[in-house]
Amino acid sequence: MTAELVRGQNHPLSQARLEIRVSAGKPIVAGATLSDEHGKVHGVEWVAHPGAPTLPGLEVSRQAAADHRLAVDLGAVPEAVHRVSVLLALPTGVGGPVRFGGLAAPFVAVTGLDGAEVASYTITGLEAESAVVALELYRRQGAWKVRAIGQGYAGGLADLLADQGLPEARQLATGINDAVAQGLARSVSAPPRTTDGDRTRQTAAPALGPDQGGPAPQGAVPPQPPTSPYGAPPGQPTPPYGAQSPGEPASPYGTQSPGQPASPYGGQQGSQDPAAAQPSASSTPTPGGPIDYSHPRRQTTAPPPPPPTAPPAQPGQPQQPVAGDATGWSMDERLYNQVWGMFEDLARTAAAYRSAVDFADSRMEKELDQALSDPRSRIGGQGDAAREAARAKHSQLVDQAQAALDRDLAQLAAEADVVEPALPPAFARWDNPVWHGYRVPMEIPMALRLGDLHLPEAPQVSIPMLVRLPLERGLWIDSGRGGTADGSFADFHEVKRLALDTAVAIAARLLAVYPAREFGVHVVDPAGSGGQALVPLVQSGVLAGPPALGAAGVQDVLARLTQRVDLVQMAVRGGAPDALPPGFDTAEQLLIVNDFPHGFDDRAVTQLRYLADEGPAVGVHLMMVADREEASAYGPLLDPLWRSLLRLTPVPDDHLADPWVGHAWTYEPPLVPPGSQVLQQVLHQVAVARTKHT
């Protein structure tokens, strides 16, 4: 399964011969540097770039292109090399973009020679940077790993190479840019995206008139510009995000496996014009045209489409939503893809509304400035009339955008009302009646619900936050002091209690959706402060052992789990995964750590970081219930730990970022409704099933 990395996360590499694929939507420069264990590049001969594309064990592209394939043979890399850093940069002096913030997020994937993806990373958060270290391959204890970096440099290649210790950084950067400029005429533009059947999703692009660089009126044929690899005449501005992002983002949904079908929800389209909000008619991007936010790695042929379960819509009426209205091999897969589609539709609809309002604001400001710049219009009724006309046009545009938003949200709300009751237990809220008929499953589901997501424009539409199983990242339930999404501040002790309740609810979900005895849970509670919240797990008997108390208990649990990770790693690396000790428990394990860093010494902290880093690849997962400020004494030592975990909050909070369009999604935890006994009933079923399978 592909590991979809976030910044700072790493993943082991089991193959020496690899291919690194880069997609950016616009021609960029791809290169690589070789460095020692300290990250220092010793000379220009350690840099692979279009002017010198070949190094021992490494070959990069010879020109700027929208898509790159870099060949890597780690077995042929010199022994003195401990890091291989993949660099991306924008060509200079060719009339193209000058910062990554004006492009779709670059996507980087590490694949085997058979094309199977090992790890991928979507580089988000770039603004003024024109060069970036995308990822690095590095040695650790004799084995190679890949780490997502995403470190950008506003000063371009010169600053990037200088930061890696290369003395001739500026001279080499100039030479690279010259070599790229000479070969740019041969660069490859982004290929057109193939449509996913008849359900390819379209995006909402900022609505601009033809005089602002937007799409021409329907029926008009836009003039063809001179040949340029950036889709615009040299020297003229290129609309930001003028092409779809070819990479897959690390959205709040976590991972998306290769081969998933395209976004299924086809009745919800974004607006291209704030006055009309008409859906796009083509999925192929054009210069200045819309962005296609359809998922880039969903398959385009199989699986079969859903059966027609809804009657055809009357002319002029929207299609009635149906649960499972998506492609997929099973109903669960169809529902999963439909939820993904709802998430994309809500993101696109909100982006269209915000873009239209921003356009209306900027247009009104421009018209007001023009009215005030003429001294003759400042006196008398002419200026007042111009200002009133500008405000009236602004109100008209905003009202039209609001009407389009309301129409789309009504369609999404209707779909959510149909989909929510049809979800299986792994996707359902705790108040869903499906839990009353719960039975321990025979196989692992494809995803798990970790909560709900919504946007400020649509608080009434909640999208299930689904992450793929098995988990590829640990979880951090933030119990720190902080404000909630509505601006209020919760009581500190209440937040800590809710944080542990959230951890228990998620752990219970994991136990419930895995087959009997295929998932174990360990709890470390050094101070014993979580006794009340842990009662459902303790009394039901589903824990691997009693909660560990004190420093001795912490050391015992961490020692057993780190030994488990070591054994599985040695077996896998030795090519003998079946040669584990007799009686070895092959079930996946979850460690819940409460009240960190109480009871942890330096050795225990090191073991904890090791579990977070290496555990997910061998079935050992980490869930931290902690306040980062309480661990501030460790300084930057724990920064990689926090970055490697998916942060969740026990109260609604808008901390989850959307790398597609920059939305901040409000997350709501999957807490059990007050007074409900569903958690105890589900855990009882799990305990009974575990007893039968002893």
Side-chain angles (χ1 to χ4, degrees):
M1 180 178 291
T2 304
E4 300 200 12
L5 307 178
V6 297
R7 183 171 299 173
Q9 189 179 6
N10 59 37
H11 187 74
L13 297 174
S14 57
Q15 307 174 51
R17 301 182 66 186
L18 302 166
E19 188 174 72
I20 299 176
R21 301 182 179 182
V22 180
S23 298
K26 297 288 184 180
I28 63 172
V29 181
T33 61
L34 307 180
S35 55
D36 59 19
E37 63 272 19
H38 303 295
K40 180 178 176 59
V41 179
H42 288 269
V44 294
E45 67 276 6
W46 283 37
V47 182
H49 56 84
T54 304
L55 292 179
L58 180 64
E59 184 174 0
V60 304
S61 303
R62 289 171 167 78
Q63 61 187 28
D67 298 287
H68 294 269
R69 293 192 176 188
L70 285 64
V72 180
D73 184 356
L74 297 175
V77 171
E79 287 295 327
V81 174
H82 288 258
R83 298 185 192 178
V84 179
S85 300
V86 177
L87 321 176
L88 307 179
L90 296 173
T92 60
V94 294
V98 296
R99 62 187 187 93
F100 276 108
L103 302 178
F107 175 76
V108 187
V110 180
T111 72
L113 296 184
D114 58 355
E117 286 194 8
V118 178
S120 64
Y121 174 42
T122 302
I123 311 172
T124 60
L126 298 178
E127 292 294 342
E129 297 88 346
S130 59
V132 61
V133 179
L135 51 80
E136 68 177 12
L137 314 179
Y138 67 99
R139 298 183 200 255
R140 179 171 179 179
Q141 297 177 352
W144 284 91
K145 297 185 179 184
V146 57
R147 177 185 288 124
I149 302 297
Q151 176 63 53
Y153 296 83
L157 271 175
D159 284 3
L160 186 155
L161 295 172
D163 192 42
Q164 296 194 1
L166 182 64
E168 307 90 344
R170 299 206 173 276
Q171 297 90 323
L172 180 58
T174 301
I176 294 174
N177 290 327
D178 291 343
V180 170
Q182 294 174 5
L184 196 53
R186 303 188 304 273
S187 63
V188 182
S189 59
R193 183 181 297 277
T194 57
T195 58
D196 295 342
D198 59 351
R199 304 195 65 83
T200 299
R201 292 175 176 269
Q202 304 300 326
T203 182
L208 302 176
D211 57 336
Q212 285 88 25
Q218 187 174 2
V221 179
Q224 298 300 318
T227 301
S228 171
Y230 292 95
Q236 295 191 12
T238 302
Y241 297 97
Q244 76 262 22
S245 169
E248 176 187 355
S251 71
Y253 277 95
T255 60
Q256 171 76 8
S257 67
Q260 289 302 320
S263 304
Y265 183 76
Q268 183 74 18
Q269 299 291 348
S271 169
Q272 292 185 15
D273 189 297
Q278 294 297 325
S280 170
S282 172
S283 63
T284 302
T286 57
I291 316 160
D292 184 354
Y293 285 104
S294 62
H295 203 287
R297 287 168 46 205
R298 299 187 183 170
Q299 58 192 27
T300 59
T301 53
T309 56
Q314 298 297 324
Q317 297 294 325
Q319 178 71 36
Q320 294 299 315
V322 177
D325 183 20
T327 53
W329 293 107
S330 65
M331 177 56 73
D332 286 3
E333 186 176 359
R334 290 173 180 170
L335 288 169
Y336 174 85
N337 291 323
Q338 188 170 12
V339 169
W340 256 101
M342 293 166 60
F343 172 79
E344 293 174 351
D345 282 331
L346 182 54
R348 195 165 39 245
T349 296
Y353 172 76
R354 295 179 185 181
S355 175
V357 172
D358 289 343
F359 171 73
D361 292 341
S362 62
R363 175 170 179 164
M364 182 179 67
E365 290 178 3
K366 181 179 179 180
E367 292 177 350
L368 291 176
D369 289 342
Q370 289 176 347
L372 294 174
S373 63
D374 188 354
R376 295 171 296 179
S377 64
R378 298 176 188 171
I379 303 174
Q382 184 178 358
D384 294 338
R387 286 189 287 271
E388 286 300 324
R391 295 190 180 99
K393 184 61 176 178
H394 175 270
S395 299
Q396 179 187 3
L397 292 176
V398 172
D399 290 344
Q400 290 171 344
Q402 184 67 51
L405 175 68
D406 293 341
R407 178 199 65 210
D408 293 344
L409 292 183
Q411 181 77 1
L412 270 175
E415 186 175 16
D417 291 341
V418 172
V419 170
E420 188 67 45
L423 295 177
F427 301 174
R429 289 196 297 251
W430 285 113
D431 58 357
N432 193 310
V434 72
W435 286 106
H436 297 300
Y438 166 78
R439 294 293 182 270
V440 177
M442 299 299 293
E443 59 183 19
I444 302 174
M446 64 186 304
L448 179 77
R449 187 173 189 157
L450 288 185
D452 292 85
L453 301 169
H454 62 80
L455 291 173
E457 290 85 357
Q460 75 278 18
V461 180
S462 291
I463 307 297
M465 177 181 171
L466 305 181
V467 297
R468 294 300 297 264
L469 291 178
L471 296 174
E472 294 185 353
R473 295 180 64 187
L475 304 176
W476 166 29
I477 315 298
D478 191 353
S479 61
R481 302 171 177 84
T484 60
D486 59 5
S488 61
F489 285 83
D491 177 76
F492 172 64
H493 298 288
E494 178 69 9
V495 171
K496 291 183 74 71
R497 182 188 67 80
L498 290 174
L500 194 52
D501 287 345
T502 302
V504 170
I506 294 175
R509 277 180 170 273
L510 286 165
L511 286 165
V513 302
Y514 272 78
R517 291 202 170 275
E518 289 195 18
F519 197 87
V521 177
H522 308 259
V523 176
V524 168
D525 186 22
S529 59
Q532 185 62 34
L534 295 172
V535 165
L537 295 177
V538 175
Q539 289 187 349
S540 61
V542 295
L543 293 179
L549 303 176
V554 171
Q555 289 289 352
D556 178 63
V557 173
L558 293 179
R560 284 189 283 113
L561 291 178
T562 52
Q563 183 184 34
R564 174 192 179 87
V565 171
D566 290 338
L567 287 173
V568 176
Q569 281 188 339
M570 286 189 293
V572 172
R573 291 173 181 172
D578 298 329
L580 292 168
F584 185 87
D585 184 8
T586 58
E588 295 192 41
Q589 307 293 320
L590 173 69
L591 172 61
I592 302 177
V593 177
N594 183 40
D595 211 13
F596 177 82
H598 184 86
F600 281 75
D601 55 17
D602 291 344
R603 183 170 182 270
V605 169
T606 302
Q607 290 176 316
L608 192 68
R609 287 186 56 187
Y610 177 72
L611 291 178
D613 204 25
E614 308 291 343
V618 293
V620 177
H621 311 285
L622 179 63
M623 183 188 297
M624 300 275 291
V625 182
D627 178 2
R628 186 170 182 175
E629 292 184 3
E630 293 183 355
S632 59
Y634 288 95
L637 176 66
L638 292 180
D639 286 350
L641 173 64
W642 304 121
R643 287 196 299 265
S644 68
L645 304 176
L646 174 61
R647 177 176 175 258
L648 304 176
T649 55
V651 294
D653 185 73
D654 57 349
H655 68 281
L656 290 176
D658 175 3
W660 281 320
V661 285
H663 293 327
W665 291 79
T666 297
Y667 166 80
E668 293 188 6
L671 294 173
V672 179
S676 174
Q677 295 298 312
V678 63
L679 186 68
Q680 289 79 357
Q681 295 169 5
V682 168
L683 290 177
H684 174 72
Q685 295 261 18
V686 173
V688 171
R690 291 165 67 94
T691 302
K692 292 180 179 179
H693 287 78
T694 301

